């Protein structure tokens, strides 16, 4: 699989979904045989992963929401999304 | 230790053994030697209640297993109930007999993931191991259909002397089928596998080759296929944290409704298991004697008690300690720090060295022959 770029359009494939876990009071990403605990940043990113937006657009939205630098956000979320892709829980 | 301890985390997963009926007869089956009969199986409404209690308790993943779970007429209803509760459903199936027919209805009600077993890559071998002629073609058709439906597919292969030289071919098969995950799971020797250990134990050299094949494939297939590897205990340095630690992450409900900390726990004499028809799942998790027997670290003997790894390995496997050391509270002999470790390794080496492996004793409802019960410690 080729590496993710700001132009990649990520999506969660069937069998991978985010849900709120009321017992542990946190969002989790459920995947085959795995559960990922998500921090606030990961939740904010994954809420924008919809199979429509590019990674660059996701970074742009987060940048305006948090009044932060888009390039910095992009540099933060690319490795995070690449890691999920290497674990086969995110596709482009 | 009967009060609810705030330190006990909620369980993450529940293995629902819906039935022990299965068209396959694998000689390493993880089910107990004494299999539950159909007449004793929980009904649909009870399973649905148990699943609701599981969701409330904090369980996230439901592993619909068996036996062959699609042998249950109500598998679609049970799976749909998981979906309504937000539970992540994982169908652990042989893919044979009626499984294919149920697949699309299962996908429609929200099944999340399918784990398909393969016994080998070569059909003749696979069918000898599974004890069912014609199984391999059915499995391949089933696996392809899973992928066509867009469901994530995991292939699971239990590895032993009879297929260890096929690890590469099994990896190729997983890629060809379009699986996202592959489990290369070296046999764990409990129940039927313990009974058949001398027929299943691979040589250490073959184990090393199989691990090398997995490592090379992981690098080559990164982002395409995730490969999980379960290494064989008898040759290991440290034991595995069985079920993620006793009473820490998992619950196992038998076809008849007994709740176990792991699927083999019934082999341990003297443990008191509670039943879903008598107690709620939460009560069983927090208060049942079986779940509290080896929970945490208080029960540990030396060398576990003062070991740096005690909260990594959780003392290893209690059932294996019983089978090999004759004491469920002993250090798991799979651990190199166990005084019995060298003997266990020698045992594996000598069993693997026989020129011709003994015949399999196939899994059958009605129990193993009396002479073959797992009584004698090694």
């Amino acid at each position: 699989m080729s590496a993710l770029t700001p132009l990649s359009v990520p999506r969660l494939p069937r069998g991978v979904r985010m849900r709120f876990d009321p017992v542990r009071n946190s969002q989790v990403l459920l995947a085959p045989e795995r559960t990922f605990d998500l921090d606030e940043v990961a939740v904010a990113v994954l809420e924008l992963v919809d199979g429509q937006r590019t990674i660059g657009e996701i970074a742009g939205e987060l940048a305006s929401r948090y009044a932060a630098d888009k390039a910095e956000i992009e540099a933060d979320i690319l490795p995070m999304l690449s890691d999920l892709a290497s674990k086969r829980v995110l596709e482009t | 230790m009967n009060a609810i301890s705030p330190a006990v985390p909620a369980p993450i997963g529940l293995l629902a053994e819906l039935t022990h009926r299965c068209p396959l007869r694998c000689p390493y089956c993880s089910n107990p030697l004494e299999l539950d009969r159909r007449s004793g199986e929980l009904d649909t409404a009870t399973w649905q209640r148990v699943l609701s209690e599981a969701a409330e308790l904090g369980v996230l993943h439901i592993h619909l297993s068996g036996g062959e779970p699609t042998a249950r007429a109500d598998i679609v209803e049970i799976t749909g109930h998981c979906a309504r509760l937000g539970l992540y459903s994982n169908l652990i199936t042989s893919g044979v007999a009626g499984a294919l027919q149920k697949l699309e209805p299962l996908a429609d009600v929200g099944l999340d993931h399918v784990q398909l077993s393969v016994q080998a890559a070569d059909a003749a071998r696979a069918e000898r191991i599974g004890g069912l002629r014609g199984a391999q073609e059915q499995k391949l058709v089933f696996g392809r259909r899973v992928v066509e439906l867009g469901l994530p597919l995991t292939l699971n292969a239990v590895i032993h002397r009879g297929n260890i030289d096929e690890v590469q071919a099994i990896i190729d098969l997983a890629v060809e089928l379009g699986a996202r995950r592959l489990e290369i799971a070296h046999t764990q020797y409990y129940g039927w596998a313990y009974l058949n250990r001398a027929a299943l134990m691979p040589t250490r050299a073959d184990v090393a080759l199989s691990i090398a094949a997995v490592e090379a494939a992981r690098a080559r297939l990164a982002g395409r296929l995730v490969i999980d590897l379960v290494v064989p205990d008898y040759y290991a340095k440290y034991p595995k944290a069985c079920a993620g630690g006793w009473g820490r992450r998992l619950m196992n409900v038998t076809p008849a409704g007994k709740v176990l900390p792991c699927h083999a726990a019934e082999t341990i004499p003297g443990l008191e298991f509670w039943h879903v028809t008598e107690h709620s799942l939460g009560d069983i998790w927090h208060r049942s004697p079986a779940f509290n027997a080896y929970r945490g670290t208080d029960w540990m003997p030396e060398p576990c008690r003062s070991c740096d790894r005690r909260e990594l390995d959780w003392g290893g496997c209690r059932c294996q300690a019983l089978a090999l050391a004759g004491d469920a509270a002993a250090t798991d002999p799979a651990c190199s720090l166990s005084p019995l470790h060298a003997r266990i390794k020698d045992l594996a080496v000598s069993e693997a060295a026989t020129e011709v492996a003994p015949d399999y004793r196939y899994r059958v409802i009605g129990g193993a022959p009396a002479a073959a019960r797992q009584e004698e410690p090694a």
Side-chain angles (χ1 to χ4, degrees):
Chain A
M1 201 174 86
S2 51
L4 298 186
T5 72
L7 293 177
S8 306
V9 179
R11 65 190 156 81
L12 297 181
R14 180 157 186 186
V16 181
R17 56 191 167 86
M18 187 162 67
R19 64 163 268 206
F20 182 69
D21 174 358
V23 171
R24 297 168 190 84
N25 195 29
S26 65
Q27 292 280 348
V28 289
L29 188 67
L30 300 177
E33 307 283 353
R34 298 195 65 161
T35 305
F36 297 84
D37 297 327
L38 302 174
D39 60 20
E40 262 174 69
V41 177
V43 172
V45 175
L46 288 175
E47 276 172 348
L48 297 172
V49 166
D50 59 1
Q52 311 273 326
R53 295 176 172 92
T54 64
I55 293 176
E57 286 164 354
I58 292 171
E61 286 213 31
L62 294 172
S64 60
R65 191 189 300 174
Y66 298 109
D69 180 55
K70 184 187 166 206
E72 262 177 46
I73 290 188
E74 214 168 77
D76 281 345
I77 70 175
L78 261 173
M80 176 204 140
L81 293 173
S82 299
D83 181 53
L84 291 175
S86 74
K87 291 175 176 144
R88 256 343 223 107
V89 297
L90 184 117
E91 293 182 353
T92 53
Chain B
M1 239 183 95
N2 270 347
I4 292 181
S5 156
V8 175
I12 294 274
L14 183 140
L15 183 72
E17 289 180 352
L18 298 176
T19 178
H20 278 158
R21 288 173 284 141
C22 186
L24 296 186
R25 300 184 291 139
C26 305
Y28 47 72
C29 181
S30 63
N31 289 156
L33 298 182
E34 301 290 347
L35 295 163
D36 289 350
R37 289 170 192 278
R38 180 182 201 152
S39 55
E41 290 176 6
L42 297 178
D43 62 16
T44 312
T46 307
W47 271 116
Q48 290 179 331
R49 174 179 57 80
V50 168
L51 294 166
S52 297
E53 288 175 1
E56 206 175 306
L57 185 58
V59 167
L60 299 171
H61 284 257
I62 300 289
H63 307 281
L64 301 164
S65 181
E68 171 51 52
T70 61
R72 290 271 308 207
D74 56 1
I75 182 65
V76 176
E77 274 174 271
I78 289 174
T79 306
H81 193 73
C82 291
R84 283 192 294 280
L85 294 165
L87 291 166
Y88 191 98
S89 55
N90 173 23
L91 183 76
I92 301 178
T93 181
S94 64
V96 303
L100 183 63
Q101 232 184 334
K102 302 260 174 68
L103 185 56
E104 209 164 323
L106 285 168
D108 287 345
V109 296
L111 177 67
D112 285 300
H113 171 236
V114 176
Q115 186 194 113
L116 171 65
S117 70
V118 288
Q119 282 63 43
D122 174 72
R125 267 214 227 190
E127 291 169 14
R128 191 179 88 76
I129 296 164
L132 180 69
R133 222 176 282 174
Q136 190 76 347
E137 184 55 28
Q138 294 181 55
K139 285 170 178 283
L140 300 182
V141 169
F142 182 91
R144 288 191 192 104
R145 189 72 190 127
V146 172
V147 174
E148 271 170 23
L149 289 169
L151 287 167
L153 174 68
T154 289
L155 230 50
N156 172 287
V158 174
I159 302 300
H160 50 85
R161 179 173 176 161
N163 66 5
I164 194 162
D165 57 333
E166 282 206 349
V167 166
Q168 186 57 57
I170 292 167
I171 294 168
D172 295 343
L173 179 63
V175 171
E176 186 204 314
L177 286 175
R180 288 189 212 166
R181 286 182 72 251
L182 170 65
E183 294 179 0
I184 293 290
H186 279 272
T187 308
Q188 305 295 307
Y189 296 96
Y190 320 111
W192 294 92
Y194 186 87
L195 188 71
N196 281 296
R197 191 182 61 200
L200 296 169
M201 186 64 74
T203 65
R204 197 167 191 168
D206 283 341
V207 168
L209 285 175
S210 74
I211 292 171
V214 167
E215 282 168 358
R218 272 180 178 159
R220 193 172 70 244
L221 298 169
R224 253 182 102 188
L225 180 71
V226 173
I227 309 180
D228 280 0
L229 177 69
V230 178
V231 297
D233 271 350
Y234 285 47
Y235 295 127
K237 188 169 179 200
Y238 297 117
K240 63 187 180 308
C242 193
W246 186 278
R248 280 182 55 77
R249 300 180 62 82
L250 297 176
M251 306 184 90
N252 185 99
V253 182
T254 70
K258 222 185 262 184
V259 189
L260 316 175
C262 80
H263 55 74
E266 281 179 287
T267 59
I268 300 175
L271 282 184
E272 185 189 327
F273 303 106
W274 287 4
H275 199 282
V276 295
T277 55
E278 287 160 11
H279 298 271
S280 74
L281 217 51
D283 219 19
I284 297 171
W285 176 255
H286 288 288
R287 294 181 50 241
S288 72
F291 274 87
N292 282 321
Y294 303 108
R295 192 173 244 154
T297 55
D298 289 349
W299 60 273
M300 286 181 180
E302 291 295 353
C304 299
R305 179 177 279 274
S306 59
C307 182
D308 286 347
R309 297 180 58 87
R310 67 185 176 276
E311 292 195 348
L312 295 173
D313 304 329
W314 299 99
C317 172
R318 299 303 89 228
C319 305
Q320 186 149 274
L322 174 77
L324 298 177
D327 174 8
T331 296
D332 184 344
C335 183
S336 56
L337 301 171
S338 159
L340 289 171
H341 185 68
R343 261 175 60 196
I344 300 313
K345 211 162 66 183
D346 291 349
L347 189 76
V349 169
S350 67
E351 284 179 345
T354 52
E355 210 160 308
V356 180
D359 288 340
Y360 296 141
R361 291 178 192 166
Y362 287 106
R363 171 201 200 270
V364 60
I365 290 188
R373 297 273 161 79
Q374 121 179 25
E375 276 154 4
E376 74 294 11

